Amino acid sequence: MSAFSAIGEGKEIDRNDYTPGLEPQATWCPGCGDFGVLKALKGAAAELGKSPDEMLLVTGIGCSGKLNSYFESYGFHTIHGRSLPVARAAKLANPGVEVVAAGGDGDGYGIGGNHFMHTARENHNMTYIVFNNEIFGLTKGQTSPTSPKGHKSKTQPHGSAKQPLRPLSMSLNSGASYIARTAAVNPNQAKDIIVEAMEHDGFSHVDFLTQCPTWNKDARQYVPYIDIQDSDDYDFDNTDRREAAEMMHETEDALHEGEVLTGRYYVDSDRPSYQQEKRNIGEMPEEPLAERYFDDSYEWERSYDNFLDKHK
Amino acid sequence: MTNDELIWRIAGGSGDGIASTSQNFAKALMRSGLNVFTHRHYPSRIRGGHTYTEIRASADPVKSRGDGYNFLLALGDSFARNPQQNAYYGNEEIKPLSENLDELHEGGVIIYDSGLLDASEIEDFDERVEENDWHVYDLDLRTMAREHGREVMRNTAGVGATCALAGIELEWIEELMTDAMPEKILEPNLEILHEAYDMVEEEYDVDAHDVKIPEGEHDEEQVLMSGSDAIAYGSIDEGCRFIAGYPMTPWTEVFTIMSQNLPELGGISEQVEDEIAAAALALGASHAGVKAMSGSSGGGFALMSEPLGLAEMTETPVVLIEAMRAGPSTGMPTKPEQGDLEHVLYTSQGDSHRIVFAPGTVAEAYTQTRKAFKIAYEYQIPSIVLYDQKLGGELVNVPASHFDEEPNPSLGSTLTEAEIEDAPHDESGKFSRFRYDTPEDNGVAPRSIPGQKGGRFLATGNEHMPEGHISEDPENRVFQMDKRMRKLEAIREELDGDGVNNTEVGDEDAQYGFLTFGSSQGTVEEAVERLNDDGHSVKMLGVSEMAPYPVDQVTEFIESVDEVLVVEMNASAQFRGLTQKEVGQYGEKLSSLLKYNGNPFEPEDIVEGFEVNIVEDDEHPHTRTKFVPAAGD
């Protein structure tokens, strides 16, 4: 019997079950795109029948990190840029837990960029939502890794001399096996994409455009948006990494021309998740490791029996 | 001294097989009934560079490296790259012979491989030999090895010659080689071993010198173990089945042992992108209900500062291992130092609250790593095991029974689902994970694990309410801070009750005291024994509990003596500083003996430091150590 009976319970869940009973301290501004992520995540989790007790939502620092305050589940609000290593270890320790990590563009693509690259490379079976508002919001509007070239802010008074980072391309090159972009103003698509991301067996990366009405008025509201799968203007095979790469590049350029392209950019269903790869080489137990600590009948090994002979 | 102990030094280049040969030799001597202690000296490079391992063997217990040594096997650096005399680093090939002469005792023995080395290249070699009454055997080990196998087997030839000259029975070596070597190379090695032995016996008078192996007997079965082994096994026996790390000398040894052993125990080892990730993974795994660890050496541990603080704030149990090496910055990667004490005590923002153990011996490395896990999980606090390149790499014999202990896989203060049901929740159903009205007055509120029904809560690096909601409410802040700090008081009380981690030796009524911490303990212990044999009145307190600090025990110790000499391997007297901060007085009673040249203390360093500075009050003549007087002196 599992010590974690919330896992896979499959009971009927209403999206309001993820609303904390206690009103969270309000930290998001009216009109903030972050509400769009919250709504989409609640809808997706409810659709998949995940109970709040079987979900672990791991966040970084910034307005995005406050998602934990608005979403009822197990949560780990970590430190700036480090949500991914915390999240992926939790998944290794107990693969039954539904692990979702979230953070902003500075958190995920800037300070945590190394973790992003490696978590994608390893293809951990988890979902990562990046709130991309092209700005540092909580610290009041500084230029971020995704801010367009020429972006002026208090810390870049002459406009940024840097090209913005290309999140989708970086993700593809690093090895993510599900890559999508959606926008807060497109709630139905956002929910569907998060459902797919959570169901995908591997690292799912959702670049979520979240308008910042307070500090990034330039980006407007990410409207009008185009769903590349629905539009006749775009025709590409998102299981082909060359075509995906082309489409990502075009999408990243288009954003700064005022054209908001969204949709599913890359899906690789064949690549085994890291958990599977690790099991294949005998470096990860079949039974969730966390269960062992609650199993009174487990006979724990000790060094005296296992390792001492070679020292004699 | 030469009559009752053998201190054998095997010297060559990195890549010459010094480590494996010396390990086998040490084990053979242990099996023959002797007590052994090894000391490694090696450069930070893959091939070449002067390296040696010293094995001290005696019938009596050995707790330290010796003062110098009495038997040299100089193989020569076969990977030397710059044989030119005028090169900045000098002729490297000859270094295993030339660099080791200063510390060789009078009457000592030298075997060198004349197939590779030409002693006439060393200035005044013959004069020094005569002056010091050294017994020199120039043997062409290289040719001997080539004839039977491969050149690299000249180690074996050297061991064979050593056995003939020191009176070691070959069967001990044969048995060891048979255990350790694959069949293909075993035969030629055995042939070489015998040939070298026979040749020396036939051609030389092996009794021309008096450096001989002593005879000893153990009263129970022994194992040859390093500090790194002991830390890894202590972790495994506490049920640790998850490690995340990034390679860095000398911490890599613990990481390697764990990574090699965890898969067969159904555990998980992760080599990750950097040390920030490594510590964060350990937190993630622990949060999800697994006993987890990470670790590094100074520079890598610096990267762990923020996750360490997160563990404190979220009360996530975790064990971090810190293997010190000489700093600052990259420093001297393969050389020991105790310079990271303040670093591990205080790194990360805010008021630190963590456990730090600095084991003094290999045996303590095992027990204190276990204790570190136990406290971490019972009190939901990060525990650090602070050691160094010296303790990590030294091999000593420990009674096998020391490890014959029951495993303890308990997650400590963790609830089952049934218990969660009865535990307090807020009105919305969130579990009061961080309640400050804790069931016991020790600041510990038991936790739930993700996936457990009814246990959901928020862990956050922000200050938080009992259910985890972020809060800056002043009253709650004080309650939470006090709750976390209360754990330290309870832990201090528990450690006082155990009374096993700090080591006191010497007569209780002694006049003078030595205070030291971590891996210098064994060497100070030997110095204390010698000083008392010489008619002084001294005792020692070796402290392992760095945090929370054993204020009462140390205060009592300082008060009981006239003066205290604090011995540590760093330049800024960090341990003395910590002691003064914690006991709040006695600055005028504490002086320091420091060593930071990259080599650990020898007992004689301490004996001399004491005699010159404390007893005779003379100018300190020593260039290897530094004396810092007490305040007001």
Side-chain angles (χ1 to χ4, degrees), chain B residues 346-360:
Chain B
Y346 308 122
T347 188
S348 200
Q349 63 272 32
D351 294 307
S352 71
H353 46 286
R354 62 196 62 161
I355 307 308
V356 182
F357 284 111

Side-chain angles (χ1 to χ4, degrees), chain B residues 90-391:
Chain B
N91 179 351
E92 290 201 328
E93 195 172 69
I94 196 84
K95 279 189 177 179
L97 180 56
S98 59
E99 294 283 303
N100 287 308
L101 296 176
D102 288 351
E103 291 162 319
L104 181 61
H105 295 171
E106 249 184 59
V109 174
I110 299 173
I111 300 174
Y112 73 88
D113 185 354
S114 59
L116 204 70
L117 301 174
D118 180 0
S120 69
E121 286 177 20
I122 300 172
E123 215 176 313
D124 302 331
F125 182 72
D126 291 338
E127 288 84 342
R128 294 182 70 180
V129 167
E130 201 179 318
E131 218 168 86
N132 289 291
D133 187 27
W134 289 334
H135 302 263
V136 180
Y137 302 87
D138 52 330
L139 309 177
D140 190 353
L141 305 173
R142 188 191 215 175
T143 304
M144 203 180 295
R146 254 191 212 150
E147 279 170 5
H148 292 272
R150 287 183 297 128
E151 193 172 314
V152 68
M153 296 176 184
R154 62 206 181 93
N155 293 343
T156 304
V159 170
T162 300
C163 290
L165 289 166
I168 300 167
E169 285 175 36
L170 273 192
E171 63 178 283
W172 296 113
I173 309 288
E174 283 172 351
E175 195 184 290
L176 225 289
M177 281 167 57
T178 310
D179 285 357
M181 287 180 176
E183 206 159 320
K184 211 172 77 186
I185 59 164
L186 177 64
E187 273 312 306
N189 270 293
L190 286 175
E191 281 171 28
I192 293 169
L193 182 76
H194 278 276
E195 175 159 329
Y197 185 92
D198 294 344
M199 186 269 281
V200 170
E201 283 236 300
E202 277 163 31
E203 294 183 19
Y204 298 91
D205 172 13
V206 298
D207 292 323
H209 61 89
D210 56 7
V211 183
K212 297 292 172 194
I213 193 77
E215 270 181 40
E217 203 184 328
H218 297 298
D219 48 18
E220 61 173 309
E221 188 176 34
Q222 304 288 308
V223 286
L224 188 69
M225 195 77 83
S226 72
S228 297
D229 292 324
I231 288 169
Y233 295 159
S235 306
I236 286 168
D237 289 350
E238 280 297 303
C240 174
R241 293 293 181 272
F242 188 99
I243 191 168
Y246 185 92
M248 183 169 184
T249 304
W251 130 266
T252 309
E253 289 173 347
V254 169
F255 186 36
T256 304
I257 299 164
M258 292 300 286
S259 300
Q260 286 175 347
N261 292 330
L262 277 185
E264 70 175 272
L265 304 177
I268 296 173
S269 168
E270 279 288 293
Q271 183 178 319
V272 297
E273 59 270 26
D274 59 34
E275 287 90 349
I276 308 173
L281 264 102
L283 258 67
S286 175
H287 184 76
V290 165
K291 289 181 105 167
M293 72 191 289
S294 182
S296 191
S297 292
F301 193 82
L303 291 183
M304 296 183 168
S305 291
E306 249 206 305
L308 171 59
L310 182 65
E312 292 177 330
M313 193 56 155
T314 58
E315 305 193 50
T316 306
V318 71
V319 173
L320 301 177
I321 308 293
E322 216 266 36
M324 295 181 280
R325 63 191 216 186
S329 191
T330 308
M332 299 193 282
T334 60
K335 300 292 182 286
E337 200 164 273
Q338 297 179 297
D340 292 349
L341 175 59
E342 290 176 342
H343 177 48
V344 304
L345 284 174
Y346 308 122
T347 188
S348 200
Q349 63 272 32
D351 294 307
S352 71
H353 46 286
R354 62 196 62 161
I355 307 308
V356 182
F357 284 111
T361 64
V362 171
E364 286 183 9
Y366 175 77
T367 49
Q368 289 175 18
T369 300
R370 294 199 62 163
K371 190 74 187 175
F373 270 97
K374 193 160 175 289
I375 291 178
Y377 279 80
E378 277 179 8
Y379 291 88
Q380 304 170 351
I381 196 167
S383 281
I384 296 167
V385 178
L386 180 68
Y387 69 116
D388 54 42
Q389 187 271 354
K390 172 185 181 300
L391 179 60

